[in-house]
Amino acid sequence: MIQLNIESNVATLALADSKVNAMNIEWCQLFSAQLAELEHDDNVRAVVLTSAERVFSAGVDLKRVVAEEPQYVQPFIDSLSKCFRDAFVFPKPLVVAINGHAIAGGCIVASCGDFRVATPRARIGLPELRVGVPLPAIAIEIIRRVASPVALQAMLNSGANYRGKAAVEVGLADEIVEKESLLEAAREHADLLASIPHATFRLMKQQIREPSLVQADRLEEKFGQQVREVWNSSEIRAMIEQYAAKL
């Protein structure tokens, strides 16, 4: 599901699970475990996250959601929220090279990066409301931190995808780089961030992101169970099934 290469203290983590890197419970658990391993590897000072496929990630494996019994949803949402949070709080520099479409959960994971470079053709967006499912609290706060306030509501309500300059303008990417130069550019940013003393980088990152975590915990306590119930309602499961059939 994930390919790992470490060179000169920078780890390149390439998502490699099927053509679209769809997120199921096993994918989420493996991604969290891989981040934990890299966090505690003293030979790794920074991480470049990309995809070995043409698509960065199309988000949740919706076909798996409707194929499973309703009991699948709660542990899956728990694992999904955990992998988002683990990427968001990862204490080392995390540079994301968005080499293809980053949709829904793929957009959330990409938004966890300390710097995000994308190709001109990579589409980035959040179609959750169009699918009919609410975002977990941590996902909302991750997007709230990166998206411009003016764009946030329209981004969520429309489910629109952004690419190129438009993705930068709404806050879903930091830089647009041609495909052939993408990994090189990501590596340069990773090297730059890795040159900052680790304790300094970690502490600054924690302080910047802590308010988002506090808010996410508050929202999770208030709305978390409702989110899971909506995902499992017969109406929404039917909407997910219809949407998945179009993919």
Side-chain angles (χ1 to χ4, degrees):
M1 291 184 184
I2 301 175
Q3 298 174 0
L4 174 64
N5 179 61
I6 300 175
E7 183 179 349
S8 301
N9 300 116
V10 174
T12 299
L13 201 60
L15 308 179
D17 184 29
S18 77
K19 293 181 179 180
V20 296
N21 289 308
M23 299 174 176
N24 52 41
I25 193 167
E26 294 83 8
W27 187 98
C28 294
Q29 291 170 348
L30 180 61
F31 185 61
S32 287
Q34 185 66 80
L35 290 177
E37 182 178 324
L38 293 173
E39 176 182 345
H40 295 99
D41 188 338
D42 292 337
N43 293 318
V44 173
R45 292 185 57 83
V47 174
V48 171
L49 176 64
T50 189
S51 169
E53 309 295 339
R54 293 178 61 187
V55 172
F56 178 80
S57 174
V60 170
D61 186 345
L62 296 175
K63 293 181 179 180
R64 174 78 178 273
V65 171
V66 296
E68 293 279 0
E69 295 296 322
Q71 293 87 339
Y72 172 80
V73 167
Q74 176 141 345
F76 168 65
I77 296 295
D78 291 345
S79 295
L80 183 68
S81 296
K82 183 178 186 303
C83 83
F84 289 158
R85 189 183 187 100
D86 290 343
F88 189 65
V89 303
F90 187 68
K92 298 177 181 180
L94 179 64
V95 176
V96 184
I98 308 172
N99 62 304
H101 303 335
I103 308 299
C107 175
I108 301 296
V109 168
S111 297
C112 294
D114 298 293
F115 196 87
R116 301 151 299 158
V117 290
T119 64
R121 296 183 61 82
R123 294 185 179 275
I124 312 170
L126 294 162
E128 272 77 2
L129 295 189
R130 197 169 69 227
V131 180
V133 294
L135 288 166
I138 185 63
I140 291 175
E141 293 311 309
I142 289 169
I143 290 300
R144 197 197 305 274
R145 195 188 73 85
V146 300
S148 66
V150 174
L152 179 61
Q153 194 68 57
M155 183 190 303
L156 293 174
N157 287 345
S158 69
N161 293 323
Y162 302 84
R163 65 180 182 181
K165 182 180 178 181
V168 175
E169 288 176 346
V170 298
L172 295 181
D174 295 300
E175 183 179 355
I176 304 301
V177 179
E178 293 298 330
K179 185 175 182 179
E180 58 271 18
S181 303
L182 184 72
L183 285 179
E184 181 183 356
R187 177 60 188 254
E188 288 177 358
H189 284 289
D191 286 337
L192 178 63
L193 293 176
S195 68
I196 301 171
H198 173 64
T200 301
F201 181 88
R202 174 179 53 80
L203 186 57
M204 290 301 296
K205 185 170 182 175
Q206 287 176 330
Q207 291 182 86
I208 290 169
R209 300 194 175 196
E210 181 68 16
S212 297
L213 296 173
V214 171
Q215 176 70 352
D217 289 342
R218 189 185 71 82
L219 292 178
E220 176 62 30
E221 182 177 358
K222 186 172 183 178
F223 298 111
Q225 189 55 40
Q226 294 178 56
V227 168
R228 289 156 179 76
E229 289 171 357
V230 169
W231 270 76
N232 251 342
S233 69
S234 56
E235 176 189 7
I236 300 307
R237 286 181 70 89
M239 289 184 67
I240 294 173
E241 188 170 5
Q242 292 173 8
Y243 187 87
K246 298 176 183 178
L247 298 178

